[in-house]
Every structure is written in structure tokens, then in C-alpha cells.
Amino acid sequence: MPSSQLLAADEVSVEGCLYISIIGGCHFCHTEGYREAEGKIDTEKALKGSSVGWRSPWGTTYASNLRESARVYTEDKWVDYLKNRFTMPPMPWYQVQAMAESDMRSLYLYIKSLGAPGDAAPRSRPPGKEPRTPYVPLEPPQTPRK
Ligand code: HEC
């Protein structure tokens, strides 16, 4: 993609939020194959979540299908969700909470523009249960927020 398309979002826009979704690192975990493809976004899979788990003593978590969350929430609910949600590691909720509200709204428009949500990501696995998918071991382990 030409770098001219990667404009910083100082107002609410779909284009601006492609930028936020990349720089915020959302595709890094929520788009399957993104890391392996060194940042090339497969628009079919973009932000649909991932079946590659993150394993540590708290269990195995999966980056969720953000298209599904955006489908379920109104724009205002989405903003409220991003501002107040604490998730399990390695989801960087502290980075998301630091986002400007206009960026949260742009992100919503961008996710909605991606199309049908498709399937949910696998459910998280409890501690000690062997994951049924490939996973990334988190070593050293990261302690989730109490
Ligand atoms: C290092 C990997 C990683 C990155 C980077 C990341 N996420 Fe996540 N995200 C996850 C994982 C794993 C979960 C599931 C956590 C859990 O099960 O509690 C998650 C969960 C979420 C949830 C909660 C979904 C739900 O079902 O309640 C939201 C919302 C979310 N991420 C948004 C984002 C946004 C927006 C970005 C980019 C700014 C982002 N994430 C970047 C890994 C990541």
C-alpha cells in the first residue's frame, strides 16, 4: 500500500483508522497471518481474530474477532467498551485506553467497513489445559491484572 494512504487520524475517518489499526498494533494479533506476512493485510481476514493462542500460567487466550464486537455494539458502546475493558494478557488494553476518542470512533468505522464478521476466534482455554491450536508460549509469563 502506498505510504500516502497512511495518514494520521486527527479526525474521524475510515482511512485514518487504517493507520490507527496498524500503528496501534491491532492487526499484529487480531489479523491471522499478519505477522507471518510481515505486515501485509489480508482484507478477508483483517481483524477477524486469530486461532493462534497465547499460552501462559493463566491459560491460553485468543485475539478476538473485532468485527463481531463492532457488529454487536453501537459506536458509543464501542467507545465505552474500549475505555473500560480490562482483558487478559497479552492484549495491551492500557494502549487502547490511551487512545483519543476520535481514534476509537475511526477504528469502529474502519472495522465496520471490513465486511461480514465470520466465525468467532477460539474460546480461551483454562490454566493447565492443552490448547487445541498452535500457540505462542509467553515466557517469562505476564501476570494479568487482578
Ligand atoms: C499482543 C497481541 C494483541 C494486540 C497487539 C492487540 N490485541 Fe486485542 N486482544 C488480544 C487477545 C489475546 C485478546 C483476548 C484477551 C482475553 O481473552 O481476555 C484481545 C481482546 C481484545 C478485546 C476484547 C474483546 C472481547 O471479546 O471482549 C478488544 C476490544 C481488543 N482486543 C481490541 C484491540 C485493539 C483495538 C487493538 C489495537 C489497538 C488490539 N486489541 C491489539 C491480543 C492483542
Side-chain angles (χ1 to χ4, degrees):
M1 158 195 336
S3 57
S4 60
Q5 283 179 17
L6 298 174
L7 299 173
D10 38 20
E11 56 188 48
V12 174
S13 72
V14 172
E15 297 75 20
C17 217
L18 170 61
Y19 174 85
I20 300 298
S21 68
I22 294 169
I23 302 306
C26 318
H27 294 284
F28 186 83
C29 296
H30 289 267
T31 300
E32 197 157 305
Y34 176 78
R35 281 177 286 129
E36 295 84 338
E38 296 185 321
K40 189 171 183 304
I41 298 170
D42 178 343
T43 48
E44 166 56 31
K45 295 185 175 158
L47 301 185
K48 275 185 174 173
S50 177
S51 62
V52 178
W54 297 89
R55 188 179 199 187
S56 214
W58 66 84
T60 304
T61 54
Y62 294 87
S64 54
N65 185 334
L66 295 182
R67 296 194 198 184
E68 182 61 29
S69 314
R71 189 185 66 80
V72 171
Y73 293 119
T74 62
E75 188 178 316
D76 284 343
K77 277 243 164 138
W78 167 259
V79 168
D80 187 54
Y81 181 58
L82 291 191
K83 281 185 178 168
N84 297 302
R85 177 114 187 152
F86 297 100
T87 44
M88 295 290 280
M91 167 64 204
W93 52 265
Y94 34 85
Q95 279 173 217
V96 172
Q97 289 187 3
M99 260 186 197
E101 189 174 312
S102 58
D103 289 347
M104 294 176 176
R105 293 185 184 278
S106 299
L107 191 47
Y108 182 81
L109 292 183
Y110 169 65
I111 297 170
K112 292 285 254 196
S113 78
L114 291 171
D119 295 334
R123 292 171 66 110
S124 59
R125 294 282 284 164
K129 292 269 189 208
E130 194 58 31
R132 300 192 180 104
T133 65
Y135 61 87
V136 179
L138 278 173
E139 299 288 352
Q142 187 185 340
T143 310
R145 188 176 193 276
K146 292 280 183 302

